[in-house]
Amino acid sequence: MKYHQSEQDYLESILTLGKENGIVHRIDVAKRLGVSGAAVNKAVKLLVERGYVYEDGKHLYLTETGKAYAEKVYEKHCILRAFLEKLGVSPARAEEDACYMEHVVSEETFHKMKAFLD
């Protein structure tokens, strides 16, 4: 199975920071992910090349493609967290586990979990 955990984490962080703050600075992404500014710079360069992100020099923005991708990852995260909590997993552990699981769960399993919660 091939997945891009780092890419997805950056996109998800930009999405959620944008929802929380309205604007996204590189330093906020670094703090959220616990990485260096240099790591964010490298990741942003790749995300821009892939057409997921654009910037105006100070702020980061998701393109339509980037936003759709980030929202898909974020939805998985939320469903997985809710599913785990429904099983009785503590909220903190459910959050941490959902962060890992969102990158590797199959579409079939994800849709079954989502249907179960609905």
PDB file of all heavy atoms in Angstrom, residues 12 73-83 98 102 117:
ATOM      1  N   GLU A  12      -3.647  18.455   5.867  1.00  0.00           N
ATOM      2  CA  GLU A  12      -4.649  18.470   6.936  1.00  0.00           C
ATOM      3  C   GLU A  12      -4.382  19.614   7.905  1.00  0.00           C
ATOM      4  O   GLU A  12      -5.307  20.299   8.352  1.00  0.00           O
ATOM      5  CB  GLU A  12      -4.646  17.123   7.662  1.00  0.00           C
ATOM      6  CG  GLU A  12      -5.738  16.983   8.691  1.00  0.00           C
ATOM      7  CD  GLU A  12      -5.748  15.614   9.351  1.00  0.00           C
ATOM      8  OE1 GLU A  12      -4.835  14.790   9.117  1.00  0.00           O
ATOM      9  OE2 GLU A  12      -6.683  15.387  10.131  1.00  0.00           O
ATOM     10  N   VAL A  73      -8.857  13.534   3.804  1.00  0.00           N
ATOM     11  CA  VAL A  73      -8.015  13.027   4.893  1.00  0.00           C
ATOM     12  C   VAL A  73      -8.620  13.410   6.246  1.00  0.00           C
ATOM     13  O   VAL A  73      -8.704  12.583   7.165  1.00  0.00           O
ATOM     14  CB  VAL A  73      -6.566  13.562   4.780  1.00  0.00           C
ATOM     15  CG1 VAL A  73      -5.731  13.168   5.987  1.00  0.00           C
ATOM     16  CG2 VAL A  73      -5.917  13.067   3.494  1.00  0.00           C
ATOM     17  N   TYR A  74      -9.069  14.643   6.368  1.00  0.00           N
ATOM     18  CA  TYR A  74      -9.636  15.114   7.630  1.00  0.00           C
ATOM     19  C   TYR A  74     -10.920  14.362   7.975  1.00  0.00           C
ATOM     20  O   TYR A  74     -11.156  14.023   9.140  1.00  0.00           O
ATOM     21  CB  TYR A  74      -9.888  16.626   7.557  1.00  0.00           C
ATOM     22  CG  TYR A  74     -10.359  17.214   8.856  1.00  0.00           C
ATOM     23  CD1 TYR A  74      -9.527  17.218   9.976  1.00  0.00           C
ATOM     24  CD2 TYR A  74     -11.624  17.770   8.976  1.00  0.00           C
ATOM     25  CE1 TYR A  74      -9.957  17.753  11.182  1.00  0.00           C
ATOM     26  CE2 TYR A  74     -12.060  18.310  10.178  1.00  0.00           C
ATOM     27  CZ  TYR A  74     -11.225  18.298  11.272  1.00  0.00           C
ATOM     28  OH  TYR A  74     -11.652  18.828  12.468  1.00  0.00           O
ATOM     29  N   GLU A  75     -11.730  14.078   6.980  1.00  0.00           N
ATOM     30  CA  GLU A  75     -12.952  13.303   7.221  1.00  0.00           C
ATOM     31  C   GLU A  75     -12.592  11.925   7.774  1.00  0.00           C
ATOM     32  O   GLU A  75     -13.201  11.446   8.734  1.00  0.00           O
ATOM     33  CB  GLU A  75     -13.772  13.149   5.948  1.00  0.00           C
ATOM     34  CG  GLU A  75     -15.032  12.317   6.180  1.00  0.00           C
ATOM     35  CD  GLU A  75     -15.759  11.919   4.918  1.00  0.00           C
ATOM     36  OE1 GLU A  75     -15.118  11.788   3.855  1.00  0.00           O
ATOM     37  OE2 GLU A  75     -16.978  11.711   5.010  1.00  0.00           O
ATOM     38  N   LYS A  76     -11.597  11.288   7.174  1.00  0.00           N
ATOM     39  CA  LYS A  76     -11.157   9.979   7.675  1.00  0.00           C
ATOM     40  C   LYS A  76     -10.730  10.098   9.135  1.00  0.00           C
ATOM     41  O   LYS A  76     -11.102   9.274   9.968  1.00  0.00           O
ATOM     42  CB  LYS A  76      -9.986   9.434   6.842  1.00  0.00           C
ATOM     43  CG  LYS A  76     -10.398   8.742   5.595  1.00  0.00           C
ATOM     44  CD  LYS A  76      -9.194   8.083   4.947  1.00  0.00           C
ATOM     45  CE  LYS A  76      -9.621   7.358   3.691  1.00  0.00           C
ATOM     46  NZ  LYS A  76      -8.495   6.697   3.028  1.00  0.00           N
ATOM     47  N   HIS A  77      -9.954  11.113   9.416  1.00  0.00           N
ATOM     48  CA  HIS A  77      -9.476  11.327  10.782  1.00  0.00           C
ATOM     49  C   HIS A  77     -10.659  11.424  11.749  1.00  0.00           C
ATOM     50  O   HIS A  77     -10.682  10.756  12.791  1.00  0.00           O
ATOM     51  CB  HIS A  77      -8.623  12.601  10.833  1.00  0.00           C
ATOM     52  CG  HIS A  77      -8.103  12.923  12.184  1.00  0.00           C
ATOM     53  ND1 HIS A  77      -6.826  12.617  12.568  1.00  0.00           N
ATOM     54  CD2 HIS A  77      -8.690  13.499  13.254  1.00  0.00           C
ATOM     55  CE1 HIS A  77      -6.650  13.007  13.821  1.00  0.00           C
ATOM     56  NE2 HIS A  77      -7.765  13.542  14.248  1.00  0.00           N
ATOM     57  N   CYS A  78     -11.628  12.248  11.425  1.00  0.00           N
ATOM     58  CA  CYS A  78     -12.777  12.473  12.307  1.00  0.00           C
ATOM     59  C   CYS A  78     -13.613  11.213  12.497  1.00  0.00           C
ATOM     60  O   CYS A  78     -14.044  10.904  13.612  1.00  0.00           O
ATOM     61  CB  CYS A  78     -13.639  13.614  11.767  1.00  0.00           C
ATOM     62  SG  CYS A  78     -12.815  15.225  11.829  1.00  0.00           S
ATOM     63  N   ILE A  79     -13.847  10.485  11.410  1.00  0.00           N
ATOM     64  CA  ILE A  79     -14.631   9.249  11.488  1.00  0.00           C
ATOM     65  C   ILE A  79     -13.886   8.204  12.322  1.00  0.00           C
ATOM     66  O   ILE A  79     -14.483   7.533  13.178  1.00  0.00           O
ATOM     67  CB  ILE A  79     -14.946   8.703  10.079  1.00  0.00           C
ATOM     68  CG1 ILE A  79     -15.868   9.656   9.320  1.00  0.00           C
ATOM     69  CG2 ILE A  79     -15.520   7.290  10.138  1.00  0.00           C
ATOM     70  CD1 ILE A  79     -17.247   9.839   9.887  1.00  0.00           C
ATOM     71  N   LEU A  80     -12.598   8.059  12.073  1.00  0.00           N
ATOM     72  CA  LEU A  80     -11.810   7.092  12.840  1.00  0.00           C
ATOM     73  C   LEU A  80     -11.795   7.436  14.327  1.00  0.00           C
ATOM     74  O   LEU A  80     -11.968   6.559  15.184  1.00  0.00           O
ATOM     75  CB  LEU A  80     -10.381   7.016  12.299  1.00  0.00           C
ATOM     76  CG  LEU A  80     -10.251   6.328  10.947  1.00  0.00           C
ATOM     77  CD1 LEU A  80      -8.905   6.647  10.312  1.00  0.00           C
ATOM     78  CD2 LEU A  80     -10.440   4.832  11.083  1.00  0.00           C
ATOM     79  N   ARG A  81     -11.616   8.708  14.633  1.00  0.00           N
ATOM     80  CA  ARG A  81     -11.608   9.129  16.041  1.00  0.00           C
ATOM     81  C   ARG A  81     -12.955   8.828  16.692  1.00  0.00           C
ATOM     82  O   ARG A  81     -13.016   8.256  17.787  1.00  0.00           O
ATOM     83  CB  ARG A  81     -11.277  10.619  16.147  1.00  0.00           C
ATOM     84  CG  ARG A  81     -11.187  11.116  17.592  1.00  0.00           C
ATOM     85  CD  ARG A  81     -10.918  12.595  17.683  1.00  0.00           C
ATOM     86  NE  ARG A  81     -12.009  13.313  17.040  1.00  0.00           N
ATOM     87  CZ  ARG A  81     -11.834  14.315  16.168  1.00  0.00           C
ATOM     88  NH1 ARG A  81     -10.626  14.720  15.847  1.00  0.00           N
ATOM     89  NH2 ARG A  81     -12.874  14.915  15.629  1.00  0.00           N
ATOM     90  N   ALA A  82     -14.040   9.169  16.005  1.00  0.00           N
ATOM     91  CA  ALA A  82     -15.374   8.910  16.551  1.00  0.00           C
ATOM     92  C   ALA A  82     -15.633   7.420  16.723  1.00  0.00           C
ATOM     93  O   ALA A  82     -16.216   6.990  17.726  1.00  0.00           O
ATOM     94  CB  ALA A  82     -16.431   9.533  15.636  1.00  0.00           C
ATOM     95  N   PHE A  83     -15.198   6.631  15.754  1.00  0.00           N
ATOM     96  CA  PHE A  83     -15.373   5.184  15.825  1.00  0.00           C
ATOM     97  C   PHE A  83     -14.638   4.617  17.034  1.00  0.00           C
ATOM     98  O   PHE A  83     -15.196   3.822  17.807  1.00  0.00           O
ATOM     99  CB  PHE A  83     -14.874   4.532  14.527  1.00  0.00           C
ATOM    100  CG  PHE A  83     -15.075   3.046  14.471  1.00  0.00           C
ATOM    101  CD1 PHE A  83     -16.302   2.514  14.110  1.00  0.00           C
ATOM    102  CD2 PHE A  83     -14.047   2.175  14.775  1.00  0.00           C
ATOM    103  CE1 PHE A  83     -16.506   1.148  14.053  1.00  0.00           C
ATOM    104  CE2 PHE A  83     -14.229   0.808  14.727  1.00  0.00           C
ATOM    105  CZ  PHE A  83     -15.470   0.286  14.366  1.00  0.00           C
ATOM    106  N   ALA A  98      -6.114   7.778  15.545  1.00  0.00           N
ATOM    107  CA  ALA A  98      -6.732   8.232  14.297  1.00  0.00           C
ATOM    108  C   ALA A  98      -5.708   8.914  13.393  1.00  0.00           C
ATOM    109  O   ALA A  98      -5.760   8.763  12.168  1.00  0.00           O
ATOM    110  CB  ALA A  98      -7.900   9.177  14.593  1.00  0.00           C
ATOM    111  N   GLU A 102      -5.554   7.066   9.727  1.00  0.00           N
ATOM    112  CA  GLU A 102      -6.118   7.765   8.568  1.00  0.00           C
ATOM    113  C   GLU A 102      -5.290   7.569   7.311  1.00  0.00           C
ATOM    114  O   GLU A 102      -5.802   7.679   6.206  1.00  0.00           O
ATOM    115  CB  GLU A 102      -6.288   9.255   8.866  1.00  0.00           C
ATOM    116  CG  GLU A 102      -4.981  10.009   8.973  1.00  0.00           C
ATOM    117  CD  GLU A 102      -5.133  11.403   9.540  1.00  0.00           C
ATOM    118  OE1 GLU A 102      -6.095  11.669  10.286  1.00  0.00           O
ATOM    119  OE2 GLU A 102      -4.268  12.238   9.236  1.00  0.00           O
ATOM    120  N   LEU A 117     -21.309   4.348  12.041  1.00  0.00           N
ATOM    121  CA  LEU A 117     -21.558   5.523  12.880  1.00  0.00           C
ATOM    122  C   LEU A 117     -22.847   6.256  12.495  1.00  0.00           C
ATOM    123  O   LEU A 117     -23.459   6.901  13.336  1.00  0.00           O
ATOM    124  CB  LEU A 117     -20.372   6.481  12.819  1.00  0.00           C
ATOM    125  CG  LEU A 117     -19.102   5.995  13.515  1.00  0.00           C
ATOM    126  CD1 LEU A 117     -17.969   6.969  13.253  1.00  0.00           C
ATOM    127  CD2 LEU A 117     -19.318   5.814  15.009  1.00  0.00           C
TER     128      LEU A 117
END
